[in-house]
Amino acid sequence: MPNPVEPKLISGNANLPLARAIARRMSLHRGMNVELVDARVERFNDAEIFVEVFENVRGEDMFIIQPTSNPANDNLMELLIMTDALRRSSAARITAVIPYFGYARQDRRTKARTPISAKLVANMMVEAGIERVLTMDLHAAQIQGFFDIPVDNLYAAPVFALDIAERFNGHLDEVTVVSPDVGGVARARELATRIGGQLAIVDKRREKAGEVAGMTVIGEVAGRRCLIVDDLCDTAGTLAKAAEVLMENGAEEVHAYITHGVLSGPAVERITNSVMKSLVITDTIAPTEAVKGARNIRIVPTAPVFAQAILNIWNGTSVSSLFNTEMLEPLYEGQFKD
């Protein structure tokens, strides 16, 4: 049954361009103007975060758009404090739209006396008053179980499939989707199935933590257009090395499709100087000027899928329908044309 209350969007400082783009797409879908709720999220001189909402939100269905990307702690605290402000202002429901879920890599104990920070963050969000989470490509799917509230995990694969179909039109039979490690095989296989491509794996061997001793390619890549697929890219060391190994094994060209472009430290320089023809990322994390200026980095939008997911949550219809590439085609019509 449709919700009689209109959805309202509010954003922190983590990725305002994406928040505004989502509002624009919702305006297009709804046929009425949707704007971000007027608020200020500022810092005192000692870096404390202060939030003030200038509009009445009593009884409203609120959606906070805030990825917890770098600086992760500041953006997480903004999200929690905005949630508290809305809860104390009697919002009817608070949904956190977290395009990039920070701390997701700390989803288990890998050594003795270490935390499971993803679970701690989930507890903090629920305690603050968040009643639902909408995110994209969690680093580990089991993080959904860390929450005792509904979690909708969208996937970038349907969007990437549309881009690949456009960019490699007429050459899809030459495409091989590559997982950069054994742990990402399921993600790579899923995209390969969508586009009808072959599958390969780059197997990493480590002598000690943080250092890759060697890589072995499992699968046929000679003469193929290889697409490395992963959920995030941090310093790009492994990605650049994997691209080199694929070229050494006879690949015709190498591209990468990565959902979250963390791209910290020397990442942009490594990608620019690598053998990769292109790196495609989404805008779940606000790109830096260096990323925008890189010759071989391209950004695809997520606002269409997030806007539709918010509307589906608001009116009580299926979010899983957005997992299908065919369902996204009308939303992304014309987006991938040169």
Side-chain angles (χ1 to χ4, degrees), residues 65-103:
I65 303 170
Q66 178 80 345
T68 51
S69 49
N70 185 33
N73 297 331
D74 284 1
N75 289 331
L76 175 59
M77 283 305 300
E78 281 190 11
L79 173 61
L80 298 176
I81 294 172
M82 283 190 292
T83 300
D84 188 68
L86 294 174
R87 180 174 61 87
R88 295 178 187 278
S89 302
S90 302
R93 181 175 67 172
I94 302 172
T95 299
V97 181
I98 311 173
Y100 170 70
F101 188 92
Y103 284 100

Side-chain angles (χ1 to χ4, degrees), residues 10-329:
I10 189 171
S11 176
N13 295 312
N15 197 341
L16 274 169
L18 176 58
R20 292 178 181 130
I22 291 172
R24 287 195 297 271
R25 290 296 304 201
M26 286 181 64
S27 299
L28 179 64
H29 296 170
R30 295 278 294 147
M32 58 187 294
N33 191 36
V34 177
E35 294 183 350
L36 298 177
V37 167
D38 189 15
R40 62 172 175 149
V41 182
E42 299 178 348
R43 280 156 180 74
F44 293 135
N45 291 333
D46 63 354
E48 280 187 17
I49 296 168
F50 175 73
V51 172
E52 184 177 8
V53 181
F54 297 119
E55 298 180 25
N56 179 27
V57 296
R58 183 180 296 275
E60 299 288 359
D61 194 0
M62 298 300 303
F63 293 82
I64 307 173
I65 303 170
Q66 178 80 345
T68 51
S69 49
N70 185 33
N73 297 331
D74 284 1
N75 289 331
L76 175 59
M77 283 305 300
E78 281 190 11
L79 173 61
L80 298 176
I81 294 172
M82 283 190 292
T83 300
D84 188 68
L86 294 174
R87 180 174 61 87
R88 295 178 187 278
S89 302
S90 302
R93 181 175 67 172
I94 302 172
T95 299
V97 181
I98 311 173
Y100 170 70
F101 188 92
Y103 284 100
R105 285 177 279 184
Q106 299 185 51
D107 63 314
R108 64 194 184 281
R109 297 184 68 194
T110 56
K111 298 178 182 178
R113 298 173 296 280
T114 56
I116 304 178
S117 302
K119 171 59 175 170
L120 174 62
V121 169
N123 290 345
M124 293 167 66
M125 290 181 180
V126 173
E127 188 64 27
I130 291 170
E131 298 168 68
R132 190 182 196 103
V133 171
L134 174 63
T135 187
M136 176 171 278
D137 272 347
L138 285 170
H139 184 64
Q142 65 265 24
I143 291 174
Q144 296 173 77
F146 291 175
F147 291 88
D148 291 323
I149 57 175
V151 177
D152 294 301
N153 184 31
L154 300 175
Y155 299 101
V159 181
F160 286 160
L162 291 172
D163 183 79
I164 292 166
E166 180 66 31
R167 298 286 166 173
F168 297 92
N169 186 23
H171 301 281
L172 284 175
D173 58 336
E174 303 171 17
V175 170
T176 294
V177 178
V178 181
S179 172
D181 52 46
V182 175
V185 170
R187 180 181 295 106
R189 182 187 295 114
E190 201 269 341
L191 181 59
T193 300
R194 286 181 185 274
I195 66 173
Q198 295 183 15
L199 177 67
I201 305 165
V202 176
D203 181 35
K204 293 182 293 189
R205 301 188 311 279
R206 296 183 187 272
E207 289 185 348
K208 56 183 178 179
E211 292 187 11
V212 178
M215 291 183 169
T216 304
V217 177
I218 303 172
E220 183 57 51
V221 299
R224 308 287 295 177
R225 301 171 190 260
C226 293
L227 311 181
I228 302 174
V229 178
D230 210 348
D231 65 311
L232 64 87
C233 175
D234 193 347
T235 59
T238 300
L239 182 63
K241 179 62 176 174
E244 287 180 15
V245 171
L246 290 169
M247 292 298 290
E248 290 169 2
N249 279 265
E252 181 177 335
E253 59 188 35
V254 178
H255 304 261
Y257 279 80
I258 310 292
T259 305
H260 308 297
V262 178
L263 303 180
S264 59
V268 174
E269 182 181 358
R270 283 174 173 170
I271 292 163
T272 302
N273 297 329
S274 74
V275 297
M276 278 186 294
K277 195 167 183 180
S278 70
L279 166 64
V280 181
I281 59 175
T282 73
D283 57 357
T284 55
I285 296 174
T288 62
E289 290 304 315
V291 171
K292 293 177 184 177
R295 61 173 176 77
N296 58 345
I297 298 179
R298 190 161 52 83
I299 302 170
V300 298
T302 57
V305 66
F306 273 112
Q308 190 60 55
I310 289 170
L311 289 172
N312 287 8
I313 291 170
W314 165 71
N315 62 29
T317 55
S318 172
V319 174
S320 63
S321 63
L322 300 175
F323 299 168
N324 300 322
T325 302
E326 295 76 13
M327 293 294 293
L328 294 186
E329 284 181 354

